[in-house]
Amino acid sequence: MKASWDIFCTVVDNFGDVGVTFRLARQLVAEHDMNVRLWIDDLSAFARLCPGADAEAPQQWCDGVRVCFWPKDWQPVEPADVVIEAFGCHLPPAQIDAMKARSQRPLWLNLEYLSAEEWVTGCHGLPSLQSSGIQKFFFFPGFRDTTGGLLREAGLIERRHGFEQDPAAQRRFLATLGIDPQPGARLISLFAYEHEGLGSWLTCLAQDQQPTHLLVPEGRIIGDVERWLGVGGLEPGALHARDHLTIQVLPFVRQEDYDLLLWCCAFNVVRGEDSFVRAQWAGRPLIWHIYEQDDDAHWAKLDAFLELYLAGLPDETGQALTHVWRDWNAGHDMTQCWNTLKKHWGELTSHAERWCLEQALQDDLTTALVRFYRNWL
Ligand code: TRH
Protein backbone atom coordinates (compact mmCIF):
# COMPACT_ATOMS: atom_id res chain seq x y z
CA MET A 1 0.00 0.00 0.00
CA LYS A 2 1.13 3.54 -0.74
CA ALA A 3 2.38 5.48 2.27
CA SER A 4 0.57 8.73 2.99
CA TRP A 5 2.30 12.01 3.79
CA ASP A 6 0.97 15.25 5.31
CA ILE A 7 3.12 18.32 4.74
CA PHE A 8 2.23 21.44 6.73
CA CYS A 9 3.38 24.82 5.48
CA THR A 10 2.83 28.29 6.87
CA VAL A 11 3.68 31.07 4.48
CA VAL A 12 5.88 33.45 6.48
CA ASP A 13 6.35 35.80 3.54
CA ASN A 14 7.56 35.54 -0.06
CA PHE A 15 7.46 32.24 -1.94
CA GLY A 16 10.16 30.03 -0.46
CA ASP A 17 8.09 28.12 2.09
CA VAL A 18 5.42 27.19 -0.38
CA GLY A 19 7.95 26.77 -3.20
CA VAL A 20 9.99 24.19 -1.29
CA THR A 21 7.04 22.24 0.11
CA PHE A 22 5.18 22.04 -3.21
CA ARG A 23 8.34 20.89 -4.96
CA LEU A 24 8.86 18.20 -2.31
CA ALA A 25 5.21 17.12 -2.47
CA ARG A 26 5.26 16.78 -6.25
CA GLN A 27 8.42 14.74 -6.16
CA LEU A 28 7.06 12.39 -3.50
CA VAL A 29 4.11 11.72 -5.79
CA ALA A 30 5.89 11.56 -9.12
CA GLU A 31 9.02 9.66 -8.16
CA HIS A 32 8.07 7.71 -5.03
CA ASP A 33 4.41 6.99 -5.67
CA MET A 34 3.28 8.45 -2.33
CA ASN A 35 -0.10 9.91 -1.40
CA VAL A 36 0.54 13.50 -0.41
CA ARG A 37 -1.59 16.17 1.21
CA LEU A 38 -0.03 19.63 1.34
CA TRP A 39 -1.61 21.94 3.93
CA ILE A 40 -0.98 25.63 3.21
CA ASP A 41 -2.27 28.52 5.32
CA ASP A 42 -2.07 31.09 2.47
CA LEU A 43 -3.12 29.83 -0.93
CA SER A 44 -2.52 33.14 -2.70
CA ALA A 45 1.26 32.56 -2.58
CA PHE A 46 0.68 29.04 -3.87
CA ALA A 47 -1.46 30.25 -6.78
CA ARG A 48 1.42 32.47 -7.96
CA LEU A 49 3.69 29.43 -8.23
CA CYS A 50 1.09 27.21 -9.73
CA PRO A 51 -0.97 29.15 -12.27
CA GLY A 52 -4.36 27.53 -12.63
CA ALA A 53 -4.58 26.83 -8.91
CA ASP A 54 -7.59 28.24 -7.09
CA ALA A 55 -6.59 30.51 -4.20
CA GLU A 56 -10.05 30.03 -2.61
CA ALA A 57 -10.48 26.27 -2.88
CA PRO A 58 -10.45 24.33 0.41
CA GLN A 59 -9.00 21.36 -1.53
CA GLN A 60 -7.66 20.84 -5.02
CA TRP A 61 -5.40 18.48 -6.94
CA CYS A 62 -2.25 19.96 -8.45
CA ASP A 63 0.26 17.68 -10.18
CA GLY A 64 -1.06 14.70 -8.23
CA VAL A 65 -0.77 16.50 -4.87
CA ARG A 66 -3.88 17.12 -2.80
CA VAL A 67 -3.41 20.76 -1.87
CA CYS A 68 -5.55 21.76 1.13
CA PHE A 69 -6.18 25.07 2.82
CA TRP A 70 -4.94 25.01 6.42
CA PRO A 71 -7.58 27.05 8.28
CA LYS A 72 -7.06 28.75 11.64
CA ASP A 73 -10.01 26.89 13.16
CA TRP A 74 -8.50 23.48 12.53
CA GLN A 75 -10.68 20.37 12.66
CA PRO A 76 -8.46 17.30 13.13
CA VAL A 77 -8.14 14.89 10.22
CA GLU A 78 -6.94 11.29 10.12
CA PRO A 79 -3.13 11.74 10.23
CA ALA A 80 -0.94 10.40 7.46
CA ASP A 81 1.89 7.86 7.92
CA VAL A 82 4.45 10.66 7.76
CA VAL A 83 3.79 14.18 9.02
CA ILE A 84 6.17 16.95 8.03
CA GLU A 85 6.05 20.36 9.60
CA ALA A 86 8.03 22.57 7.31
CA PHE A 87 10.41 25.17 8.71
CA GLY A 88 9.30 24.89 12.31
CA CYS A 89 5.67 25.74 11.67
CA HIS A 90 3.51 24.54 14.55
CA LEU A 91 1.02 21.77 14.04
CA PRO A 92 -2.46 22.41 15.44
CA PRO A 93 -2.60 20.83 18.94
CA ALA A 94 -5.74 18.92 17.97
CA GLN A 95 -3.83 17.32 15.09
CA ILE A 96 -1.03 16.29 17.43
CA ASP A 97 -3.68 14.63 19.61
CA ALA A 98 -4.95 12.81 16.54
CA MET A 99 -1.40 11.65 15.77
CA LYS A 100 -1.07 10.38 19.33
CA ALA A 101 -4.35 8.51 19.09
CA ARG A 102 -3.46 6.79 15.80
CA SER A 103 -2.94 3.05 16.27
CA GLN A 104 0.20 3.16 14.10
CA ARG A 105 2.07 6.28 15.26
CA PRO A 106 3.10 8.53 12.36
CA LEU A 107 6.68 9.55 11.73
CA TRP A 108 6.83 13.23 12.69
CA LEU A 109 9.50 15.29 11.00
CA ASN A 110 10.51 18.92 11.16
CA LEU A 111 11.99 19.91 7.82
CA GLU A 112 14.44 22.72 8.55
CA TYR A 113 15.73 25.64 6.49
CA LEU A 114 18.76 25.06 4.30
CA SER A 115 22.13 25.91 5.79
CA ALA A 116 25.73 25.03 4.97
CA GLU A 117 26.81 25.57 8.60
CA GLU A 118 28.76 22.73 10.12
CA TRP A 119 26.54 22.27 13.20
CA VAL A 120 23.76 21.05 10.89
CA THR A 121 25.65 17.79 10.41
CA GLY A 122 25.43 17.03 14.13
CA CYS A 123 21.72 17.77 14.36
CA HIS A 124 20.44 16.16 11.17
CA GLY A 125 18.15 13.22 11.90
CA LEU A 126 18.11 13.72 15.68
CA PRO A 127 14.90 12.97 17.57
CA SER A 128 13.43 15.11 20.29
CA LEU A 129 10.69 13.92 22.63
CA GLN A 130 7.71 16.28 22.58
CA SER A 131 5.39 17.01 25.50
CA SER A 132 2.80 14.97 23.58
CA GLY A 133 4.99 11.92 24.14
CA ILE A 134 5.71 11.51 20.42
CA GLN A 135 9.20 11.85 19.02
CA LYS A 136 9.87 14.51 16.44
CA PHE A 137 12.89 14.17 14.15
CA PHE A 138 14.85 17.10 12.75
CA PHE A 139 15.63 16.80 9.08
CA PHE A 140 18.16 19.22 7.64
CA PRO A 141 18.71 19.86 3.95
CA GLY A 142 22.32 20.60 3.15
CA PHE A 143 25.34 20.35 0.92
CA ARG A 144 27.28 17.63 2.73
CA ASP A 145 26.59 13.91 2.62
CA THR A 146 25.97 14.02 6.38
CA THR A 147 22.80 16.07 5.80
CA GLY A 148 19.51 15.45 4.01
CA GLY A 149 20.78 16.86 0.69
CA LEU A 150 18.98 19.18 -1.71
CA LEU A 151 15.72 18.94 -3.62
CA ARG A 152 16.55 17.70 -7.10
CA GLU A 153 14.12 16.00 -9.45
CA ALA A 154 15.24 12.83 -11.23
CA GLY A 155 16.95 13.57 -14.54
CA LEU A 156 17.12 17.33 -13.86
CA ILE A 157 20.75 17.80 -14.83
CA GLU A 158 20.37 15.65 -17.96
CA ARG A 159 17.33 17.74 -18.96
CA ARG A 160 19.36 20.90 -18.53
CA HIS A 161 22.21 19.56 -20.63
CA GLY A 162 19.74 18.60 -23.36
CA PHE A 163 18.19 22.08 -23.29
CA GLU A 164 21.61 23.73 -23.48
CA GLN A 165 22.37 21.77 -26.61
CA ASP A 166 19.13 22.84 -28.27
CA PRO A 167 19.29 26.54 -29.20
CA ALA A 168 15.94 26.30 -30.99
CA ALA A 169 14.26 25.09 -27.78
CA GLN A 170 15.90 27.97 -25.90
CA ARG A 171 14.66 30.50 -28.45
CA ARG A 172 11.17 29.01 -28.35
CA PHE A 173 11.09 29.22 -24.57
CA LEU A 174 12.38 32.80 -24.48
CA ALA A 175 9.81 33.76 -27.13
CA THR A 176 6.99 32.53 -24.87
CA LEU A 177 8.08 35.28 -22.46
CA GLY A 178 8.50 37.83 -25.24
CA ILE A 179 12.30 37.77 -24.91
CA ASP A 180 14.22 38.40 -28.11
CA PRO A 181 17.83 39.16 -27.16
CA GLN A 182 20.20 40.94 -29.52
CA PRO A 183 22.77 38.56 -31.01
CA GLY A 184 25.80 38.50 -28.71
CA ALA A 185 23.94 39.87 -25.70
CA ARG A 186 24.59 38.06 -22.44
CA LEU A 187 21.44 37.09 -20.52
CA ILE A 188 21.36 37.68 -16.76
CA SER A 189 18.37 37.07 -14.50
CA LEU A 190 17.65 39.16 -11.41
CA PHE A 191 15.39 37.80 -8.65
CA ALA A 192 16.34 39.63 -5.48
CA TYR A 193 15.15 41.60 -2.49
CA GLU A 194 15.47 45.38 -2.33
CA HIS A 195 19.09 46.50 -2.78
CA GLU A 196 20.24 50.08 -2.22
CA GLY A 197 23.35 49.61 -4.33
CA LEU A 198 21.54 48.09 -7.29
CA GLY A 199 21.95 51.21 -9.40
CA SER A 200 25.75 50.94 -9.28
CA TRP A 201 25.55 47.37 -10.63
CA LEU A 202 23.16 48.40 -13.40
CA THR A 203 25.56 51.20 -14.33
CA CYS A 204 28.42 48.66 -14.54
CA LEU A 205 26.34 46.52 -16.90
CA ALA A 206 25.34 49.52 -19.01
CA GLN A 207 28.97 50.61 -19.36
CA ASP A 208 30.31 47.15 -20.13
CA GLN A 209 31.37 46.68 -23.75
CA GLN A 210 29.51 43.38 -23.84
CA PRO A 211 25.77 43.99 -24.13
CA THR A 212 23.59 42.56 -21.36
CA HIS A 213 19.91 41.69 -21.50
CA LEU A 214 18.72 41.69 -17.90
CA LEU A 215 15.59 39.67 -17.14
CA VAL A 216 13.75 40.78 -14.02
CA PRO A 217 10.77 38.77 -12.78
CA GLU A 218 8.25 41.14 -11.20
CA GLY A 219 8.80 41.45 -7.47
CA ARG A 220 10.57 43.29 -4.68
CA ILE A 221 13.58 44.55 -6.67
CA ILE A 222 11.48 46.42 -9.23
CA GLY A 223 11.44 49.66 -7.19
CA ASP A 224 15.24 49.87 -7.32
CA VAL A 225 15.23 49.19 -11.06
CA GLU A 226 12.64 51.95 -11.56
CA ARG A 227 14.73 54.40 -9.57
CA TRP A 228 17.79 53.77 -11.71
CA LEU A 229 15.82 53.97 -14.95
CA GLY A 230 13.98 57.07 -13.73
CA VAL A 231 10.60 55.58 -14.63
CA GLY A 232 7.65 54.36 -12.60
CA GLY A 233 5.03 51.64 -12.87
CA LEU A 234 7.19 48.93 -14.47
CA GLU A 235 4.98 46.00 -15.43
CA PRO A 236 5.75 42.62 -16.99
CA GLY A 237 6.66 43.17 -20.63
CA ALA A 238 8.34 46.54 -19.99
CA LEU A 239 11.57 46.89 -21.96
CA HIS A 240 14.10 49.71 -21.42
CA ALA A 241 17.57 50.19 -22.86
CA ARG A 242 20.43 52.30 -21.41
CA ASP A 243 23.77 52.14 -23.26
CA HIS A 244 24.72 48.47 -23.40
CA LEU A 245 22.06 47.32 -20.97
CA THR A 246 18.54 46.21 -21.87
CA ILE A 247 16.21 45.59 -18.96
CA GLN A 248 13.09 43.51 -19.41
CA VAL A 249 10.48 42.88 -16.74
CA LEU A 250 9.02 39.39 -16.77
CA PRO A 251 5.85 37.93 -15.33
CA PHE A 252 6.22 35.48 -12.47
CA VAL A 253 6.36 32.10 -14.21
CA ARG A 254 5.61 28.55 -13.03
CA GLN A 255 8.46 26.77 -11.25
CA GLU A 256 9.39 24.58 -14.22
CA ASP A 257 9.69 27.63 -16.45
CA TYR A 258 11.78 29.47 -13.90
CA ASP A 259 14.32 26.66 -14.26
CA LEU A 260 14.41 27.16 -18.03
CA LEU A 261 14.94 30.86 -17.49
CA LEU A 262 17.93 30.19 -15.24
CA TRP A 263 19.31 27.72 -17.80
CA CYS A 264 19.13 30.35 -20.57
CA CYS A 265 21.18 32.86 -18.57
CA ALA A 266 24.95 33.21 -18.25
CA PHE A 267 24.61 34.52 -14.68
CA ASN A 268 21.76 34.49 -12.19
CA VAL A 269 20.94 36.59 -9.17
CA VAL A 270 18.74 34.56 -6.85
CA ARG A 271 17.49 34.79 -3.30
CA GLY A 272 16.01 32.95 -0.32
CA GLU A 273 16.26 29.19 -0.49
CA ASP A 274 14.62 27.50 -3.44
CA SER A 275 15.77 29.78 -6.27
CA PHE A 276 19.25 29.64 -4.70
CA VAL A 277 19.26 25.85 -5.09
CA ARG A 278 17.79 26.01 -8.59
CA ALA A 279 20.54 28.38 -9.67
CA GLN A 280 23.11 25.84 -8.48
CA TRP A 281 21.44 23.13 -10.56
CA ALA A 282 21.60 25.57 -13.48
CA GLY A 283 25.40 25.29 -13.31
CA ARG A 284 25.97 29.02 -13.80
CA PRO A 285 27.73 31.54 -11.58
CA LEU A 286 25.38 33.34 -9.27
CA ILE A 287 24.85 35.92 -6.59
CA TRP A 288 22.86 34.75 -3.59
CA HIS A 289 20.73 37.45 -2.02
CA ILE A 290 20.18 35.72 1.30
CA TYR A 291 17.00 36.15 3.33
CA GLU A 292 17.82 38.64 6.07
CA GLN A 293 17.29 37.51 9.64
CA ASP A 294 16.69 39.90 12.54
CA ASP A 295 19.63 38.62 14.58
CA ASP A 296 21.98 38.82 11.55
CA ALA A 297 22.26 35.02 11.56
CA HIS A 298 22.20 35.13 7.76
CA TRP A 299 25.82 36.33 7.58
CA ALA A 300 27.09 33.12 9.18
CA LYS A 301 24.99 31.13 6.71
CA LEU A 302 26.37 33.09 3.79
CA ASP A 303 29.97 32.62 4.91
CA ALA A 304 29.44 28.91 5.60
CA PHE A 305 28.14 28.37 2.08
CA LEU A 306 30.98 30.37 0.54
CA GLU A 307 33.53 28.33 2.43
CA LEU A 308 32.18 25.12 0.92
CA TYR A 309 31.50 26.55 -2.52
CA LEU A 310 34.88 28.19 -2.98
CA ALA A 311 36.98 25.22 -1.85
CA GLY A 312 39.48 24.39 -4.57
CA LEU A 313 39.27 27.76 -6.33
CA PRO A 314 42.31 30.06 -6.39
CA ASP A 315 42.22 32.55 -3.48
CA GLU A 316 41.88 35.54 -5.78
CA THR A 317 38.79 34.11 -7.48
CA GLY A 318 37.24 33.15 -4.17
CA GLN A 319 37.87 36.61 -2.77
CA ALA A 320 36.34 38.25 -5.83
CA LEU A 321 33.11 36.28 -5.47
CA THR A 322 33.04 36.77 -1.71
CA HIS A 323 33.28 40.55 -2.13
CA VAL A 324 30.47 40.58 -4.63
CA TRP A 325 28.17 38.49 -2.44
CA ARG A 326 28.99 40.40 0.73
CA ASP A 327 28.63 43.81 -0.91
CA TRP A 328 25.38 42.79 -2.55
CA ASN A 329 23.92 41.56 0.71
CA ALA A 330 25.06 44.69 2.55
CA GLY A 331 23.42 46.89 -0.11
CA HIS A 332 26.78 48.49 -0.93
CA ASP A 333 28.01 50.07 -4.14
CA MET A 334 28.91 47.22 -6.52
CA THR A 335 31.25 49.00 -8.92
CA GLN A 336 34.63 47.87 -7.67
CA CYS A 337 33.76 44.32 -6.70
CA TRP A 338 31.82 43.64 -9.90
CA ASN A 339 34.61 44.93 -12.12
CA THR A 340 37.06 42.67 -10.27
CA LEU A 341 34.74 39.69 -10.57
CA LYS A 342 34.59 40.03 -14.36
CA LYS A 343 38.24 38.98 -14.57
CA HIS A 344 37.28 35.61 -13.09
CA TRP A 345 34.20 35.04 -15.23
CA GLY A 346 35.50 31.99 -17.13
CA GLU A 347 36.79 30.27 -14.03
CA LEU A 348 33.58 30.91 -12.09
CA THR A 349 31.55 29.55 -14.99
CA SER A 350 33.38 26.24 -15.15
CA HIS A 351 33.38 26.05 -11.36
CA ALA A 352 29.59 26.44 -11.24
CA GLU A 353 29.12 23.41 -13.48
CA ARG A 354 31.66 21.41 -11.47
CA TRP A 355 29.90 22.29 -8.21
CA CYS A 356 26.54 21.30 -9.69
CA LEU A 357 27.81 17.91 -10.83
CA GLU A 358 29.49 17.24 -7.47
CA GLN A 359 26.33 18.13 -5.55
CA ALA A 360 24.28 15.94 -7.89
CA LEU A 361 26.32 12.91 -6.81
CA GLN A 362 24.49 12.98 -3.48
CA ASP A 363 21.02 11.61 -2.95
CA ASP A 364 18.36 14.25 -3.32
CA LEU A 365 16.35 15.41 -0.30
CA THR A 366 13.14 13.60 -1.25
CA THR A 367 14.92 10.27 -1.68
CA ALA A 368 16.68 10.84 1.65
CA LEU A 369 13.34 11.51 3.37
CA VAL A 370 11.78 8.37 1.92
CA ARG A 371 14.79 6.33 3.02
CA PHE A 372 14.60 7.85 6.51
CA TYR A 373 10.96 6.80 6.72
CA ARG A 374 11.65 3.24 5.51
CA ASN A 375 14.50 2.82 8.00
CA TRP A 376 12.31 4.15 10.78
CA LEU A 377 9.51 1.66 10.11
O1 TRH B 1 10.56 34.00 -2.21
P1 TRH B 1 11.80 33.81 -1.43
O2 TRH B 1 12.45 35.03 -1.01
O3 TRH B 1 11.49 32.91 -0.18
C1 TRH B 1 12.05 33.10 1.08
C2 TRH B 1 13.06 32.07 1.45
O4 TRH B 1 12.57 30.79 1.27
C3 TRH B 1 13.46 32.25 2.88
O5 TRH B 1 14.39 31.30 3.25
C4 TRH B 1 12.23 32.13 3.72
O6 TRH B 1 12.52 32.26 5.04
C5 TRH B 1 11.31 33.21 3.29
O7 TRH B 1 10.98 33.03 1.93
C6 TRH B 1 10.06 33.19 4.10
O8 TRH B 1 12.86 32.98 -2.31
P2 TRH B 1 12.90 31.46 -2.77
O9 TRH B 1 13.16 30.55 -1.62
O10 TRH B 1 13.83 31.41 -3.85
O11 TRH B 1 11.46 31.14 -3.32
C7 TRH B 1 10.99 31.62 -4.54
C8 TRH B 1 10.17 30.57 -5.24
O12 TRH B 1 9.53 31.14 -6.37
C9 TRH B 1 11.01 29.41 -5.78
O13 TRH B 1 10.31 28.20 -5.63
C10 TRH B 1 11.14 29.74 -7.27
C11 TRH B 1 9.80 30.35 -7.52
N1 TRH B 1 9.69 31.22 -8.69
C12 TRH B 1 8.81 30.87 -9.68
O14 TRH B 1 8.17 29.80 -9.60
N2 TRH B 1 8.64 31.71 -10.73
C13 TRH B 1 9.33 32.86 -10.88
O15 TRH B 1 9.14 33.59 -11.87
C14 TRH B 1 10.28 33.19 -9.85
C15 TRH B 1 11.09 34.45 -9.99
C16 TRH B 1 10.42 32.37 -8.78
Side-chain angles (χ1 to χ4, degrees):
M1 216 175 78
K2 285 187 183 190
S4 56
W5 295 59
D6 273 329
I7 304 175
F8 286 84
C9 169
T10 45
V11 176
V12 178
D13 56 7
N14 305 308
F15 303 102
D17 310 292
V18 77
V20 168
T21 49
F22 184 45
R23 194 182 287 291
L24 166 65
R26 272 185 306 181
Q27 211 186 337
L28 281 166
V29 170
E31 296 175 25
H32 299 274
D33 198 26
M34 302 292 175
N35 274 323
V36 183
R37 274 187 307 205
L38 174 58
W39 298 94
I40 306 174
D41 70 346
D42 172 3
L43 288 174
S44 60
F46 174 69
R48 293 292 301 284
L49 288 180
C50 184
D54 181 348
E56 307 294 327
Q59 278 195 35
Q60 59 199 304
W61 289 90
C62 300
D63 297 343
V65 176
R66 195 156 141 199
V67 178
C68 308
F69 178 58
W70 172 2
K72 283 205 168 55
D73 57 338
W74 176 263
Q75 299 301 320
V77 293
E78 175 59 25
D81 299 317
V82 185
V83 178
I84 297 183
E85 53 183 25
F87 312 125
C89 70
H90 298 291
L91 293 186
Q95 189 60 18
I96 299 177
D97 290 343
M99 287 158 63
K100 219 168 127 186
R102 196 180 191 254
S103 56
Q104 163 90 42
R105 283 274 169 90
L107 168 63
W108 183 5
L109 294 164
N110 184 357
L111 177 64
E112 291 287 344
Y113 282 113
L114 173 63
S115 172
E117 289 162 297
E118 212 163 346
W119 62 263
V120 162
T121 296
C123 297
H124 172 60
L126 287 188
S128 109
L129 191 62
Q130 304 298 297
S131 54
S132 56
I134 320 183
Q135 276 191 328
K136 174 158 76 173
F137 292 85
F138 291 88
F139 205 90
F140 282 84
F143 305 92
R144 304 168 205 257
D145 57 10
T146 42
T147 67
L150 301 171
L151 282 173
R152 186 186 76 249
E153 296 79 2
L156 179 73
I157 311 301
E158 294 76 5
R159 277 206 305 287
R160 167 166 71 80
H161 287 158
F163 185 73
E164 282 165 355
Q165 281 153 23
D166 189 347
Q170 292 169 35
R171 274 197 303 276
R172 271 199 308 277
F173 166 69
L174 291 173
T176 62
L177 294 175
I179 304 166
D180 180 19
Q182 270 178 46
R186 147 183 83 179
L187 291 181
I188 297 184
S189 76
L190 170 62
F191 178 51
Y193 307 117
E194 297 79 1
H195 174 14
E196 277 181 33
L198 185 79
S200 62
W201 185 63
L202 297 177
T203 301
C204 288
L205 297 179
Q207 290 174 351
D208 199 323
Q209 280 317 300
Q210 184 179 7
T212 299
H213 195 118
L214 185 69
L215 303 168
V216 193
E218 55 184 332
R220 290 174 53 175
I221 194 72
I222 292 293
D224 295 306
V225 175
E226 288 176 345
R227 243 183 313 285
W228 183 77
L229 284 169
V231 301
L234 283 182
E235 295 284 346
L239 193 67
H240 291 267
R242 298 284 185 277
D243 299 319
H244 293 127
L245 174 63
T246 302
I247 298 179
Q248 183 165 2
V249 180
L250 302 182
F252 203 85
V253 294
R254 55 186 311 126
Q255 278 185 323
E256 294 86 341
D257 286 349
Y258 182 59
D259 275 336
L260 300 186
L261 180 71
L262 296 171
W263 299 354
C264 285
C265 290
F267 191 98
N268 294 298
V269 182
V270 288
R271 70 184 208 192
E273 177 158 332
D274 193 50
S275 59
F276 172 49
V277 172
R278 305 317 282 184
Q280 292 170 61
W281 297 138
R284 304 288 194 284
L286 65 141
I287 290 176
W288 180 24
H289 199 158
I290 195 168
Y291 183 78
E292 194 175 322
Q293 289 172 254
D294 291 339
D295 52 1
D296 273 352
H298 56 287
W299 286 109
K301 284 189 179 174
L302 190 85
D303 289 341
F305 177 78
L306 279 170
E307 200 182 322
L308 280 187
Y309 185 74
L310 298 175
L313 275 179
D315 285 353
E316 224 187 301
T317 314
Q319 278 160 17
L321 191 71
T322 303
H323 282 156
V324 165
W325 283 30
R326 290 199 127 254
D327 282 355
W328 186 286
N329 280 285
H332 288 166
D333 186 287
M334 299 296 296
T335 313
Q336 205 191 350
C337 63
W338 182 256
N339 286 331
T340 306
L341 183 92
K342 281 191 326 197
K343 299 181 199 138
H344 304 276
W345 193 271
E347 191 153 28
L348 286 168
T349 301
S350 34
H351 179 67
E353 178 68 15
R354 208 163 44 233
W355 169 263
C356 165
L357 297 180
E358 262 170 40
Q359 286 294 318
L361 292 175
Q362 295 185 36
D363 274 346
D364 65 276
L365 181 92
T366 311
T367 302
L369 273 167
V370 171
R371 190 178 334 100
F372 192 86
Y373 167 58
R374 297 222 160 103
N375 290 341
W376 172 84
L377 277 175

